[in-house]
C-alpha cells in the first residue's frame, strides 16, 4: 500500500488533488484502487471541458465494476493522462504519480485547504 | 453457512464477497494470487486453485434413483455410465430454468448433484416435493467442500499430490483421502483442462494445503471467484441468473445440447419441444467490442437505427483478448459478424456478433 502524500488534499469520494503551481493534478487514492481491483478501462474527461465540484467527469472500471470519477473542485480540464488509455493498470501500481487522471485549473488556496488533509482522509478509510 | 476454508482465505487477506450468503474469495493479494487479471492468466497458462464450496451438494439414493431423476431433468442420464458426470438442467413446467447442475452418476441407485449455491435450496425443495417411495434425498450443502483445480498444469499438480489424474473429460473416481471418501472429477468452469475435488468438510483444509503447495510450486496461483467469472465469460458458459433463468429457457440460451431431445417426458419438456420447433425470438450470442469500452449485464443492445434488439446478460473485460466482451440475448435474425451497439450509460459501444467461445476450449486436451 502507498502512503497518502502529506502535501496532497483528498475528498470523501476517494480522489486526491495535488497543487502544481497554477494547475492541480487529480487522481484516485490508493484506498480506492485497492477496493476496485485490477483497473482495465478509464474514461477520461475532455480537455477544455469546464467541470463543477462534485460532478461526474469520468469512469474507472475494473473487471467486475464501474466507479465514477467526481471533480474535486470547480475548474477547467487542462490535460488528461493519455497513457492510461493503454496502461490503465498504472492507477493500481502507482496511484499518486504515474496513475494521475487529469489536470485542472488550480483552485484558490482557501478552497484547496478546505479539502481533506492526508490525516483526515486516513481517518475515514481506517478499517 | 461458510466454507471450511474461510479461515485460510482470511489469513491470506483475500478480498471476500457475498455469494448466496457465503463469504467467498473474490481475489487474493500477491504473491499467492495477485488480483483477477493475474489469477485469470495463471489458469490459462499454468494452474489455478479455487474454493467453490458454496456450490450445492444433494444426494439421491435408492432403487430407481436414476430413472426417477431422468424423468425430471432435461439431459438424458442414459447417455452416461456410472463414473461419469453430466451437465443438465432442472426446468419448471414453462421450460424456465430453476437451475443448471452437474449430475454425478455413481450407480443407478446413487447420484450426487451439484447445483448453484443460490439455487441449491430451490433444487432441493423441487426434488423433495414429489419423490417416490424408496428414494432418499439429502441436502449435503455443508458436508463437503468443492475445490477446483484448473489449467494446463492441473494434472501435474494432482499427480505430484499423489492423486489420480487419468480421467476422461466428465468422468470421476472416488478415492480415499485421510480415510474419508473423496470424489475427483475431470470438469470445471474455466475452459481449461481441470478437476473438481469434493473432500468432506473435515478433510478440506488438509487437501487445500496439500494442493496449494503444489500449485504455487508450479507457477500457479490461488484464485478467487472474480477470475472464475472472467474465465467462464470468455468461454461463453452460462451463469444462472444471467444467461439462464426462469424466464430464459435452455433453447434460448443456446444450451440445447444439455437437453435429451430423444427421451420421454421430463419437467418442461412440452414447452421446450414447442420452442425448439417454433424457434426463439432471441438467441444467446457473443459480442466482441470493436472499440474501447466494457459492456455490463443489463445494458441494452441496439441496431444502427437505435432500435433495441437485445440485452447484455454478462459483460466484462476479457483478460486474454484485452477487450470488452459480452454475452447477450439478441434478436435471432441477427447473425455472426453483424455489428450492434451497446448502450453504456448513454455512449454507444460498437460490438460485433462473434462465434463462441471467445477463447478456444482446452477441456478435452
Amino acid at each position: 500500500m502507498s502512503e497518502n502524500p502529506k502535501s496532497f488534499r483528498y475528498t470523501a469520494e476517494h480522489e486526491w488533488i495535488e497543487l502544481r503551481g497554477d494547475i492541480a493534478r487529480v487522481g484516485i487514492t490508493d484506498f480506492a484502487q485497492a477496493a476496485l481491483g485490477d483497473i482495465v478501462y478509464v474514461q477520461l474527461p475532455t480537455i477544455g471541458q469546464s467541470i463543477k465540484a462534485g460532478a461526474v467527469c469520468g469512469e474507472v472500471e475494473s473487471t467486475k465494476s464501474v466507479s465514477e470519477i467526481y471533480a474535486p473542485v470547480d475548474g477547467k480540464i487542462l490535460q488528461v493522462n493519455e497513457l492510461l488509455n493503454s496502461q490503465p493498470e498504472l492507477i493500481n501500481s502507482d496511484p499518486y504519480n504515474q496513475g494521475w487522471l487529469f489536470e485542472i485549473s488550480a483552485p484558490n488556496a482557501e478552497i484547496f485547504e478546505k479539502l481533506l488533509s492526508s490525516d483526515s482522509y486516513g481517518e475515514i478509510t481506517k478499517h | 453457512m461458510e466454507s471450511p476454508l474461510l479461515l485460510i482465505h482470511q489469513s491470506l487477506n483475500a478480498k471476500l464477497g457475498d455469494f448466496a450468503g457465503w463469504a467467498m474469495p473474490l481475489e487474493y493479494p500477491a504473491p499467492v494470487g495477485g488480483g483477477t487479471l493475474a489469477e485469470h492468466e495463471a489458469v490459462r497458462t499454468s494452474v489455478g486453485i479455487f474454493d467453490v464450496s458454496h456450490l450445492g451438494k444433494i444426494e439421491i439414493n435408492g432403487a430407481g434413483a436414476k430413472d426417477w431423476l431422468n424423468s425430471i431433468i432435461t439431459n438424458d442420464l442414459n447417455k452416461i455410465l456410472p463414473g461419469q458426470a453430466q451437465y443438465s438442467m432442472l426446468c419448471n413446467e414453462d421450460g424456465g430454468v430453476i437451475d443448471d447442475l452437474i449430475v454425478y452418476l455413481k450407480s443407478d441407485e446413487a447420484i450426487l448433484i451439484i447445483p448453484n449455491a443460490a439455487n441449491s435450496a430451490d433444487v432441493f425443495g423441487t426434488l423433495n416435493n414429489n419423490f417416490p417411495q424408496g428414494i432418499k434425498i439429502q441436502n449435503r450443502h455443508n458436508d463437503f467442500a468443492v475445490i477446483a483445480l484448473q489449467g494446463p498444469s492441473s494434472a501435474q499438480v494432482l499427480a505430484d499430490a499423489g492423486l489420480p489424474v487419468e480421467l476422461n473429460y466428465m468422468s470421476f473416481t472416488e478415492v480415499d483421502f485421510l480415510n474419508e471418501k473423496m470424489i475427483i472429477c475431470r470438469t470445471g468452469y474455466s475452459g481449461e483442462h481441470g478437476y473438481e475435488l469434493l473432500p468432506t468438510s473435515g478433510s478440506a483444509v488438509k487437501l487445500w494445503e496439500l494442493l496449494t503447495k503444489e500449485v504455487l510450486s508450479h507457477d500457479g496461483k490461488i484464485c478467487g471467484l472474480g477470475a472464475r467469472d472472467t474465465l467462464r465469460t470468455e468461454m461463453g458458459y452460462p451463469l444462472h441468473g444471467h444467461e439462464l433463468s426462469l424466464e430464459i429457457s435452455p433453447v434460448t440460451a443456446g444450451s440445447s445440447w444439455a437437453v435429451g431431445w430423444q427421451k420421454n417426458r421430463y419437467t418442461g419438456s412440452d414447452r421446450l419441444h414447442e420452442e425448439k420447433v417454433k424457434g426463439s425470438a432471441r438467441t444467446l450470442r457473443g459480442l466482441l467490442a470493436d472499440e474501447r469500452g466494457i459492456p455490463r449485464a443489463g445494458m441494452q443492445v441496439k441496431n444502427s437505427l437505435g432500435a433495441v434488439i437485445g440485452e447484455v446478460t454478462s459483460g466484462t473485460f476479457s483478460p486474454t483478448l484485452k477487450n470488452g466482451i459480452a454475452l447477450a440475448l439478441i434478436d435471432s435474425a441477427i447473425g455472426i459478424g453483424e455489428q450492434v451497439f451497446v448502450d453504456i450509460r448513454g455512449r454507444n459501444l460498437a460490438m460485433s456478433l462473434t462465434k463462441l467461445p471467445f477463447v478456444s476450449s482446452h477441456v478435452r486436451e
Side-chain angles (χ1 to χ4, degrees):
Chain A
M1 298 286 274
S2 319
E3 288 285 321
N4 303 324
K6 290 280 178 206
S7 60
F8 291 16
R9 287 290 182 274
Y10 301 84
T11 71
E13 283 77 39
H14 309 289
E15 275 119 23
W16 55 259
I17 175 163
E18 177 195 15
L19 277 190
R20 302 165 76 103
D22 51 7
I23 61 158
R25 191 170 263 196
V26 176
I28 66 168
T29 64
D30 188 52
F31 177 87
Q33 71 76 19
L36 277 165
D38 292 325
I39 291 165
V40 291
Y41 178 75
V42 186
Q43 176 86 37
L44 295 165
T46 312
I47 294 171
Q49 185 186 348
S50 287
I51 52 171
K52 285 278 179 201
V56 174
C57 65
E59 289 169 354
V60 178
E61 299 200 36
S62 66
T63 49
K64 197 71 200 164
S65 63
V66 188
S67 186
E68 290 179 322
I69 305 166
Y70 302 92
V73 293
D74 293 354
K76 192 173 171 184
I77 303 292
L78 301 173
Q79 197 60 254
V80 298
N81 187 357
E82 302 278 3
L83 202 54
L84 297 179
N85 290 329
S86 55
Q87 292 171 262
E89 65 274 13
L90 289 173
I91 300 174
N92 294 115
S93 59
D94 197 6
Y96 295 117
N97 190 20
Q98 287 188 82
W100 65 278
L101 297 174
F102 56 87
E103 287 174 342
I104 184 170
S105 44
N108 67 40
E110 198 185 332
I111 289 170
F112 183 76
E113 292 303 327
K114 270 192 192 157
L115 296 165
L116 299 170
S117 68
S118 121
D119 286 349
S120 310
Y121 179 71
E123 281 296 313
I124 66 169
T125 54
K126 232 171 29 190
H127 292 293
Chain B
M1 291 186 284
E2 63 181 50
S3 163
L5 303 170
L6 181 59
L7 283 176
I8 293 182
H9 305 322
Q10 288 168 330
S11 74
L12 293 170
N13 288 318
K15 193 186 285 183
L16 299 174
D18 177 81
F19 288 80
W22 294 59
M24 298 299 293
L26 287 168
E27 58 181 40
Y28 296 80
V32 297
T36 297
L37 295 179
E39 293 163 22
H40 179 113
E41 194 190 346
V43 173
R44 290 272 179 257
T45 58
S46 53
V47 61
I49 185 169
F50 303 76
D51 177 13
V52 288
S53 298
H54 60 313
L55 293 175
K57 305 106 196 162
I58 298 170
E59 283 184 347
I60 305 169
N61 292 294
K66 183 182 98 171
D67 289 340
W68 173 68
L69 185 64
N70 208 30
S71 73
I72 299 171
I73 59 174
T74 61
N75 213 338
D76 190 353
L77 285 173
N78 290 316
K79 287 186 200 161
I80 61 166
L81 295 169
Q84 291 183 307
Q86 187 184 59
Y87 179 70
S88 191
M89 303 204 191
L90 176 64
C91 288
N92 62 18
E93 288 294 352
D94 295 330
V97 181
I98 296 169
D99 200 15
D100 59 334
L101 30 89
I102 303 279
V103 181
Y104 287 72
L105 186 67
K106 296 183 191 180
S107 72
D108 290 1
E109 292 80 41
I111 292 170
L112 171 71
I113 63 177
I114 307 287
N116 283 293
N119 299 325
S120 177
D122 283 348
V123 171
F124 181 70
T126 304
L127 296 178
N128 208 28
N129 210 4
N130 195 12
F131 60 90
Q133 220 175 4
I135 287 182
K136 193 168 147 195
I137 303 176
Q138 288 171 286
N139 190 348
R140 309 289 301 270
H141 209 156
N142 287 302
D143 298 340
F144 300 96
V146 185
I147 296 173
L149 199 58
Q150 302 282 302
S153 301
S154 57
Q156 198 54 52
V157 164
L158 265 196
D160 291 353
L163 292 166
V165 298
E166 292 304 324
L167 289 166
N168 289 325
Y169 183 57
M170 294 303 276
S171 292
F172 66 92
T173 184
E174 267 186 298
V175 299
D176 281 319
F177 181 70
L178 302 176
N179 299 318
E180 307 211 51
K181 288 254 179 275
M182 174 170 79
I183 287 178
I184 303 177
C185 187
R186 253 294 292 288
T187 186
Y189 201 43
S190 69
E192 299 299 330
H193 184 111
Y195 304 85
E196 289 186 1
L197 298 89
L198 286 88
T200 57
S201 291
S203 57
V205 167
K206 285 275 184 256
L207 179 68
W208 178 266
E209 286 171 346
L210 172 69
L211 292 176
T212 50
K213 189 172 140 266
E214 294 297 340
V215 164
L216 296 173
S217 75
H218 285 83
D219 291 324
K221 297 220 179 279
I222 304 180
C223 305
L225 299 179
R228 193 165 187 258
D229 194 54
T230 51
L231 289 159
R232 73 96 193 164
T233 307
E234 285 186 343
M235 300 318 298
Y237 292 160
L239 174 63
H240 194 274
H242 290 256
E243 287 71 36
L244 294 167
S245 72
L246 291 174
E247 284 74 44
I248 308 171
S249 77
V251 178
T252 301
S255 297
S256 288
W257 62 274
V259 177
W261 294 107
Q262 307 304 320
K263 77 174 189 177
N264 289 329
R265 282 205 85 249
Y266 50 89
T267 312
S269 54
D270 291 351
R271 293 294 292 272
L272 293 184
H273 280 272
E274 211 177 287
E275 187 184 345
K276 192 184 179 223
V277 171
K278 215 174 62 184
S280 39
R282 287 185 172 179
T283 303
L284 189 76
R285 299 290 197 184
L287 302 179
L288 182 63
D290 297 325
E291 50 192 342
R292 292 178 62 248
I294 304 174
R296 303 284 181 183
M299 290 177 175
Q300 288 185 330
V301 182
K302 298 176 175 176
N303 64 16
S304 59
L305 303 172
V308 176
I309 50 161
E311 184 180 312
V312 173
T313 52
S314 292
T316 190
F317 173 82
S318 160
T320 305
L321 303 175
K322 311 263 181 270
N323 208 349
I325 56 171
L327 300 174
L329 286 172
I330 294 185
D331 187 333
S332 302
I334 298 171
I336 302 293
E338 290 190 53
Q339 193 178 57
V340 295
F341 299 88
V342 173
D343 183 343
I344 301 186
R345 298 173 289 279
R347 180 170 76 96
N348 280 330
L349 176 72
M351 299 190 80
S352 291
L353 271 68
T354 306
K355 209 165 174 294
L356 291 172
F358 294 105
V359 173
S360 6
S361 167
H362 301 110
V363 294
R364 291 172 192 277
E365 288 169 15

